[in-house]
Amino acid sequence: MSRHRGPAVLLLLLASSLSGAGGPEGPAPMQIVSVTTEQPVVPALVGRAENPVARVRIEAVGEEEPLAVTELRVNLRGTTTLDDIEGVEVLGEDGARLGRRQDPAELLTFRGELPLKEGTNDLRISVALAPTANLDHVVDAGCDGVRLSDGAEVEPEAAHPPGVQRLGVSLRDGGDGGAAVYRIPGLATTGDGTLIAVYDVRWTGWSDLPGDIDVGMSRSLDGGRSWEPMRIILDMGKDPAFRFDGVGDPAVLVDREKGTVWVAALWSHGDRGWRGSGPGLSPEETGQLVLVKSEDDGRTWSAPINITEQVKQPEWSLLLAGPGRGISMKDGTLVFAAQYLDTPENGRTPRSTVLYSRDHGETWHLGTGARPGTTEAQVVELDEGVLMLNMRDDRGGWRAVSTTGDLGRTWQEHPTSRRSLVDPVCNAALIRAGDRTLLFANPAVPRDPRRRMTLKASPDLGATWPEASQLLLDEGRSAGYSSVTMIDEETVGLLFEGSRAHLTFMRLRLDELVP
């Protein structure tokens, strides 16, 4: 006869157990309080052996006569196509496996034995995706029932919880290509439809500049479904005496008129990163703002072009770009977001601004600081000639937003500044996606840890950001930087530092955000 009791009785048992009371009759036999099914909001990645797509949580009380799960019935209803899946398994908390199936079907039964402990027991339903899985599809999973070692059958409170797992690819992860860490994504689409992704290749660890860091580039010819092998497009040297001449924090833009792809980055000759850089113009004194360009759709790249002396005020402590991506304005002006550290006498206060070229990259110029205490920023063009600068704000909690109609000579605070876009002091992504639509991505939380990577749409050029136009894509913790591009008029590409890979790429339909 089953020992499982009604919910009210079992809640009392749970309270008694958690308080340490065994009752007048001594330790009680194990009872199941509840079985619930949840779906994590994390991308399922092509090429990963494990992708958690559902969690079955079993709450138990009592230590005597412990129970075990001997059968779990899984449903994959809601999955776009089972052809995207090449394996399904059920795993316990310690990695023990209830079973694995390589014959995906809408309904699957797993048999084995997973012992339960008193308290919370989490079982994971995990899938391995086929190498040919379509990134525009989703995976969906639930649990129809659990059989226990005493023969009892338990149905979850919600057999099929709401939500789906979107598909993605691990563009770069720790260990790929011999590098320990990949960070700081930038993403753009060329006139030929090629995706250009740039990022830090941090060979030895997580530390920022100075260090052994180069700028890597990946290229996709099919909208991000597959990627060519990584290439290093900026490597300023490997001499340990100069801290390996690290170069990083890249930003990418495409000249819409000429087709040239530009990448800006910071070169640290020795200790010339955020903390070690000082006044001056030479590599021995201050960090260097360098560019590379490609005039053949990312196939080949120029030698580094150092523009530090063109644009940096000698008294400033540091000048660098975005990072992330820049834009090509309607009149052909090229614009990167930029940031600088003021003089030591002024406390090295950081300010965001814009770096621009009116002659397709022959010469570059710099605007004034939009506001103190801001650093990494993204830029879009609103009305013709009007730029919006969306900034990381050291005060925390919210993004700062300013606009300029004269390429940064003067700035006006935007009505949404520090009101509309929550932020944990992190870089973000911002692009224009149509007539009046802006897209924005960041970890949508007001403070660390960075988590809940979310893509948002504004239908009115950033005046409002409706909750109905927001997609949570990765609820896990991560480094949190992101970059967005339009792959075509209907498809968004997002490259971000995720909880399941250092750099995750996803494709999303624009009409999911903007009906």
Side-chain angles (χ1 to χ4, degrees):
M1 185 175 71
S2 171
R3 296 196 300 264
H4 310 304
R5 309 182 185 180
V9 174
L10 292 178
L11 287 173
L12 290 173
L13 282 170
L14 178 60
S16 175
S17 173
L18 293 177
S19 67
E25 300 178 0
M30 182 173 284
Q31 303 280 337
I32 302 304
V33 175
S34 65
V35 179
T36 57
T37 308
E38 302 173 353
Q39 282 191 313
V41 183
V42 292
L45 301 182
V46 176
R48 286 295 176 87
E50 292 185 17
N51 289 290
V53 293
R55 178 176 64 196
V56 181
R57 173 161 288 179
I58 300 174
E59 298 284 355
V61 297
E63 297 179 342
E64 294 296 303
E65 302 176 44
L67 298 168
V69 173
T70 58
E71 181 178 292
L72 195 84
R73 296 187 296 281
V74 171
N75 73 72
L76 299 177
R77 293 187 296 270
T79 297
T80 306
T81 173
L82 296 174
D83 292 338
D84 288 335
I85 301 174
E86 64 177 18
V88 186
E89 60 186 348
V90 177
L91 301 168
E93 292 177 332
D94 57 358
R97 181 183 292 162
L98 183 67
R100 177 176 174 81
R101 300 285 297 271
Q102 293 180 291
D103 56 342
E106 186 172 286
L107 298 174
L108 294 168
T109 299
F110 294 83
R111 295 184 178 90
E113 185 167 316
L114 283 178
L116 300 175
K117 67 179 186 301
E118 186 174 27
T120 301
N121 299 266
D122 285 336
L123 280 62
R124 289 172 289 141
I125 301 171
S126 174
V127 303
L129 298 173
T132 57
N134 189 327
L135 297 186
D136 298 329
H137 291 172
V138 299
V139 175
D140 202 1
C143 174
D144 286 349
V146 177
R147 182 185 293 272
L148 301 171
S149 53
D150 64 353
E153 294 267 358
V154 183
E155 292 186 4
E157 295 175 12
H160 200 104
V164 294
Q165 264 53 52
R166 301 173 188 273
L167 273 56
V169 295
S170 171
L171 179 60
R172 307 304 295 170
D173 204 8
D176 293 348
V181 172
Y182 292 88
R183 282 212 60 200
I184 323 296
L187 185 65
T189 308
T190 72
D192 292 340
T194 300
L195 298 188
I196 303 290
V198 296
Y199 40 81
D200 275 11
V201 183
R202 301 190 174 189
W203 294 104
T204 60
W206 284 96
S207 296
D208 297 335
L209 292 170
D212 192 0
I213 301 173
D214 299 323
V215 174
M217 188 276 303
S218 295
R219 187 168 172 263
S220 174
L221 304 179
D222 57 7
R225 296 179 178 89
S226 64
W227 295 82
E228 294 177 352
M230 176 185 75
R231 281 179 278 168
I232 300 298
I233 61 172
L234 262 171
D235 180 352
M236 302 302 291
K238 295 295 182 185
D239 191 338
F242 296 105
R243 307 287 288 268
F244 301 95
D245 278 298
V247 57
D249 293 307
V252 58
L253 73 75
V254 176
D255 184 331
R256 295 190 303 178
E257 293 183 5
K258 299 292 186 180
T260 306
V261 184
W262 291 90
V263 174
L266 174 65
W267 168 32
S268 174
H269 182 60
D271 186 8
R272 299 295 175 263
W274 188 259
R275 292 179 177 83
S277 183
L281 295 175
S282 73
E284 291 74 25
E285 296 172 304
T286 194
Q288 302 291 293
L289 179 53
V290 295
L291 307 174
V292 289
K293 65 179 180 179
S294 173
E295 297 177 304
D296 56 7
D297 207 51
R299 296 178 184 86
T300 61
W301 295 82
S302 73
I305 304 163
N306 193 331
I307 64 169
T308 307
E309 292 188 4
Q310 283 189 48
V311 292
K312 182 180 181 289
Q313 297 294 323
E315 63 270 21
W316 290 347
S317 298
L318 181 65
L319 171 65
L320 68 157
R325 63 169 285 163
I327 64 171
S328 179
M329 294 175 65
K330 293 177 182 178
D331 67 1
T333 301
L334 308 181
V335 184
F336 284 110
Q339 53 187 313
Y340 65 89
L341 291 176
D342 208 336
T343 66
E345 292 77 14
N346 289 332
R348 295 169 61 94
T349 300
R351 288 176 172 85
S352 299
T353 186
V354 289
L355 172 73
Y356 63 92
S357 173
R358 286 174 162 163
D359 53 15
H360 302 285
E362 291 296 320
T363 61
W364 294 85
H365 311 275
L366 201 70
T368 62
R371 64 158 299 113
T374 57
T375 54
E376 296 162 331
Q378 301 299 307
V379 62
V380 293
E381 185 176 18
L382 303 179
D383 298 324
E384 187 167 354
V386 177
L387 299 177
M388 170 184 280
L389 195 62
N390 184 298
M391 300 166 278
R392 170 174 170 164
D393 191 323
D394 286 348
R395 290 172 292 178
W398 302 92
R399 301 291 292 182
V401 184
S402 293
T403 59
T404 178
D406 53 17
L407 292 173
R409 285 193 293 274
T410 61
W411 294 94
Q412 299 78 44
E413 187 173 34
H414 194 265
T416 64
S417 185
R418 295 195 55 79
R419 293 183 179 182
S420 295
L421 294 169
V422 68
D423 187 72
V425 189
C426 183
N427 197 14
L430 181 72
I431 64 168
R432 187 161 178 170
D435 184 36
R436 297 190 58 78
T437 300
L438 298 185
L439 299 181
F440 175 85
N442 79 328
V445 292
R447 62 188 63 85
D448 285 340
R450 297 169 182 170
R451 60 199 187 281
R452 297 186 64 80
M453 178 59 66
T454 303
L455 181 64
K456 303 178 181 181
S458 168
D460 47 21
L461 293 180
T464 62
W465 297 89
E467 289 189 15
S469 296
Q470 302 183 13
L471 290 176
L472 174 62
L473 300 173
D474 188 346
E475 66 183 2
R477 296 185 181 189
S478 71
Y481 284 31
S482 59
S483 192
V484 180
T485 193
M486 292 304 298
I487 297 173
D488 53 45
E489 291 184 355
E490 300 175 348
T491 312
V492 182
L494 175 64
L495 181 63
F496 64 97
E497 298 174 335
S499 67
R500 306 206 61 243
H502 288 181
L503 295 177
T504 295
F505 174 81
M506 298 179 73
R507 291 169 49 97
L508 302 136
R509 297 195 322 274
L510 184 60
D511 62 13
E512 293 186 79
L513 290 155
V514 185

